[in-house]
Amino acid sequence: QLPAEMVTASGSGLDPHISPASARIQVKRIAAARNISEEKLIGLIDENTRKPWFGPATVHVLRLNLALDKLSANN
């Protein structure tokens, strides 16, 4: 089941956040493309998830991508 934001959110790329559910749905594909383990990717998603007092948790996609790039550069 896709989170609603995956089909209804703006495609402008201006908002660098997605829900943890949207991030986790892409784990298999991104782990394969980045040649890293799914467990490592889930850990990076968790590290880049903000859980505010009010409102939903969000994953900062830009920071996550930078962490993935740094990981790739070190290998």
Side-chain angles (χ1 to χ4, degrees):
Q1 172 123 7
L2 285 177
E5 74 184 61
M6 300 265 317
V7 294
T8 61
S10 167
S12 68
L14 296 177
D15 184 2
H17 303 91
I18 62 173
S19 71
S22 293
R24 286 180 181 267
I25 238 170
Q26 300 178 67
V27 165
K28 185 176 286 297
R29 178 181 61 84
I30 293 170
R34 293 281 191 152
N35 197 30
I36 64 170
S37 72
E38 292 181 23
E39 293 78 19
K40 180 67 177 172
L41 179 53
I42 289 169
L44 289 173
I45 290 169
D46 291 344
E47 289 174 21
N48 289 284
T49 297
R50 181 175 156 253
K51 299 171 186 162
W53 287 84
F54 299 100
T58 57
V59 177
H60 196 295
V61 175
L62 175 59
R63 288 185 183 154
L64 176 59
N65 284 332
L66 291 173
L68 286 165
D69 289 345
K70 185 176 180 181
L71 187 65
S72 295
N74 290 333
N75 288 333

